Amino acid sequence: MFKNVKILSWLVVILLATNLATIGTVFYRTNRINNPVGNVDTELPLEQRSRFFNRQLELSNNQMESFRNFNREYNRRTAEINMQLQKLREEIVDELVKEDSDIEKLNQLSAEVGELHKQLKLTTNDLYLELKEISDSTQRERLAIVFRALLEGDPEIRNNRRMGGRWQMNRP
């Protein structure tokens, strides 16, 4: 009899540990969805964008001041869009976990997410077009190389590694 109680006690402990691990995983995954760590986007980190383009294009003081001004506006607009995206993601998760999820509402929310992603891309395009507009011909050539590298997801640009003060531009 004592042996059966001991075995049952161990089973309870094992089941309790398994349940706690499962609950912990759910909380971790939910927090990760609500507060994404990374973005698979090809954009540079906010705090490094000005320094990065200044180094790559060797911007003059006037060019740098212009870039800072429209970069501030870009940051403001993208922050608003990202807040709206976060709210929509939360609504999607809330709808998904309901007993009777409404597929029409999920489709509508997904369409809104798509539209906000489009706005984010258009805002990014505006930033880069404004940068191109203040650049001279040599800087535009460098900018084209940087744009292609960003599009390809070049890890050196993504990590903003310096090679002799600038990202190595002499690539095939």
Side-chain angles (χ1 to χ4, degrees):
M1 180 74 163
F2 180 71
K3 189 174 187 177
N4 287 341
V5 171
K6 194 174 183 180
I7 291 172
L8 288 175
S9 296
W10 276 108
L11 283 175
V12 168
V13 169
I14 291 170
L15 289 173
L16 181 63
T18 304
N19 285 337
L20 288 174
T22 302
I23 291 169
T25 301
V26 168
F27 280 119
Y28 172 76
R29 300 283 272 162
T30 302
N31 187 38
R32 191 167 167 213
I33 289 170
N34 289 335
N35 301 310
V37 173
N39 188 356
V40 291
D41 208 354
T42 57
E43 297 172 22
L44 294 168
L46 293 176
E47 67 279 354
Q48 298 177 0
R49 188 179 306 111
S50 294
R51 277 184 265 135
F52 175 80
F53 282 113
N54 188 24
R55 250 195 329 266
Q56 299 309 313
L57 305 179
E58 298 175 346
L59 297 173
S60 70
N61 289 339
N62 289 339
Q63 288 174 316
M64 193 61 198
E65 185 60 34
S66 295
F67 179 71
R68 280 190 188 114
N69 289 334
F70 52 77
N71 191 41
R72 274 188 215 106
E73 177 62 19
Y74 169 82
N75 290 339
R76 186 192 61 74
R77 288 169 50 194
T78 57
E80 289 174 9
I81 293 170
N82 282 323
M83 286 186 339
Q84 292 172 335
L85 280 168
Q86 183 61 34
K87 184 177 180 262
L88 286 172
R89 288 182 193 112
E90 290 171 5
E91 288 182 48
I92 288 172
V93 170
D94 290 344
E95 190 62 37
L96 285 171
V97 298
K98 285 183 180 176
E99 188 67 32
D100 295 321
S101 298
D102 182 354
I103 191 70
E104 291 299 320
K105 184 171 183 177
L106 286 169
N107 289 342
Q108 175 203 353
L109 292 170
S110 296
E112 290 176 38
V113 167
E115 183 58 36
L116 286 173
H117 275 285
K118 177 182 173 183
Q119 288 178 22
L120 202 55
K121 288 296 149 196
L122 293 174
T123 302
T124 302
N125 291 346
D126 289 343
L127 173 76
Y128 291 147
L129 287 172
E130 289 179 20
L131 179 58
K132 179 180 154 189
E133 188 175 310
I134 65 167
S135 299
D136 63 29
S137 60
T138 304
Q139 291 168 327
R140 285 182 181 161
E141 289 174 17
R142 291 181 188 158
L143 198 54
I145 294 168
V146 171
F147 285 163
R148 284 188 182 91
L150 283 169
L151 179 65
E152 295 166 3
D154 189 303
E156 289 178 4
I157 281 192
R158 191 77 185 121
N159 296 329
N160 201 10
R161 290 190 187 133
R162 283 188 275 175
M163 297 180 140
R166 285 198 349 216
W167 172 72
Q168 195 167 6
M169 306 278 284
N170 56 354
R171 295 165 48 94

